[in-house]
Amino acid sequence: MLTVENLQKSYQVGKSTYEVLKGVSLRVEKGEFVAVMGPSGSGKTTLLNCISCYIPADSGSIRLDRTELARLDENALAEIRNRKLGFVFQDFLLLDGLTVRQNILLPAIIGGRVSDLTEARADQLCEVFGISGIREKYPAEISGGEKQRTAVARALINHPLVILADEPTGNLDSKSTRAVIRSFEQAKEALEATIFMVTHDSYAASFCDRVIILRDGVVWKTLERAGTDREKFQDNLLDAIREMGRE
Ligand SMILES: Nc1ncnc2c1ncn2[C@@H]1O[C@H](COP(=O)(O)OP(=O)(O)OP(=O)(O)O)[C@@H](O)[C@H]1O
Ligand SMILES: [Mg+2]
């Protein structure tokens, strides 16, 4: 599904070069819910932005299905971003002048693909995420958790291969965090979506199938949930984070 191999990325600031990703390799399988954790500055957002092709990597490979993203031109990339990837941003980025339903349809509108089918899918997504009752409301008239569920529904409208989310629960309380995670779980179960989520939050990560921990620009450790109950898995994550701090 998504394969990253030996990804390297540095930033040039004046005369100095900051190496951020120093050879990151990982795989995400279809239908998997994967979290990326790691200390501030470890390169999580950089990794996500490279996968999204918002910033070019220096070297290494990013494959989505069988397509090598680094070799695509701007037009092909825009097409991939619109059709194969879904994005959930930390501050949701809903458009104030559009209703919940219109916001959900936005990627289809941008891709020039609004049809009876996509309209029906928007309604289906509203049902899956329990926002049918508010679909004619505007963002200013709905709660934070509802905004977030709208953002997740929007990320799914074009049937993306992968949803990429950067701190989607970053500014939410634990009840809204649970609602966002629940919407990812629903996307996974009902729609076979694949989810790749960056998070600081061991509670949010403890719902995932697998957690990849980045440190100093490389994959330091991967933890598999593999049927462990959620509380135990969260303990395992916290242990790993403490161990990382000691090293
Ligand atoms: N555009 C940029 N130019 C120069 N340096 C950058 C740029 N963007 C990020 N960095 C640096 O790269 C490093 C990794 O940044 P990144 O945003 O990927 O970290 P992160 O793991 O997402 O951190 P956080 O948990 O705080 O969001 C940081 O040291 C940051 O200062
Ligand atoms: Mg970040």
Side-chain angles (χ1 to χ4, degrees):
M1 168 61 37
L2 172 68
T3 311
V4 173
E5 270 168 26
N6 201 19
L7 195 71
Q8 312 211 351
K9 172 71 190 173
S10 54
Y11 293 107
Q12 196 75 38
V13 180
K15 288 203 173 98
S16 313
T17 303
Y18 295 91
E19 285 183 48
V20 177
L21 302 179
K22 305 171 187 168
V24 171
S25 300
L26 57 89
R27 261 182 81 84
V28 181
E29 304 298 340
K30 180 162 176 54
E32 238 191 331
F33 183 7
V34 172
V36 176
M37 298 189 77
S40 183
S42 58
K44 302 179 297 297
T45 296
T46 301
L47 173 63
L48 210 66
N49 287 342
C50 287
I51 294 173
S52 318
C53 302
Y54 284 125
I55 54 173
D58 299 337
S59 62
S61 144
I62 302 168
R63 284 194 306 278
L64 195 59
D65 264 356
R66 258 158 251 103
T67 310
E68 174 59 60
L69 299 187
R71 291 210 200 90
L72 299 178
D73 62 22
E74 269 307 309
N75 287 337
L77 272 182
E79 178 84 1
I80 294 260
R81 271 192 218 115
N82 183 251
R83 304 195 75 141
K84 306 247 169 119
L85 299 174
F87 300 96
V88 181
F89 303 94
Q90 181 166 350
D91 41 11
F92 321 141
L93 297 181
L94 300 178
L95 297 190
D96 291 333
L98 300 182
T99 64
V100 163
R101 192 167 183 279
Q102 289 166 338
N103 265 289
I104 294 172
L105 279 167
L106 195 60
I109 296 170
I110 291 170
R113 280 189 308 278
V114 181
S115 64
D116 290 352
L117 220 64
T118 44
E119 301 240 6
R121 181 164 169 83
D123 291 333
Q124 180 211 353
L125 288 166
C126 284
E127 239 155 75
V128 169
F129 295 125
I131 48 177
S132 298
I134 56 155
R135 68 187 156 188
E136 300 308 329
K137 285 185 159 187
Y138 290 88
E141 303 165 339
I142 65 178
S143 75
E146 289 166 345
K147 280 184 196 156
Q148 187 60 308
R149 279 179 273 157
T150 303
V152 176
R154 180 181 58 188
L156 287 163
I157 189 76
N158 283 343
H159 294 277
L161 290 173
V162 183
I163 298 177
L164 301 169
D166 195 356
E167 303 279 2
T169 62
N171 41 24
L172 299 180
D173 63 18
S174 70
K175 184 161 166 272
S176 305
T177 294
R178 190 67 194 90
V180 171
I181 296 296
R182 188 69 209 124
S183 55
F184 284 143
E185 289 175 333
Q186 273 158 345
K188 186 182 129 106
E189 284 154 24
L191 309 160
E192 285 181 82
T194 305
I195 301 132
F196 190 72
M197 167 179 85
V198 166
T199 184
H200 271 107
D201 181 359
S202 64
Y203 174 69
S206 68
F207 291 91
C208 292
D209 301 313
R210 200 148 55 86
V211 177
I212 294 167
I213 302 180
L214 279 192
R215 191 180 73 169
D216 298 335
V218 294
V219 174
W220 176 70
K221 195 173 243 183
T222 299
L223 286 93
E224 302 257 356
R225 181 156 168 204
T228 316
D229 70 53
R230 194 206 61 76
E231 279 91 358
K232 176 79 182 100
F233 191 47
Q234 187 175 6
D235 286 344
N236 294 347
L237 292 172
L238 290 169
D239 284 345
I241 291 163
R242 274 192 289 271
E243 183 190 337
M244 182 167 66
R246 277 196 302 271
E247 275 184 12

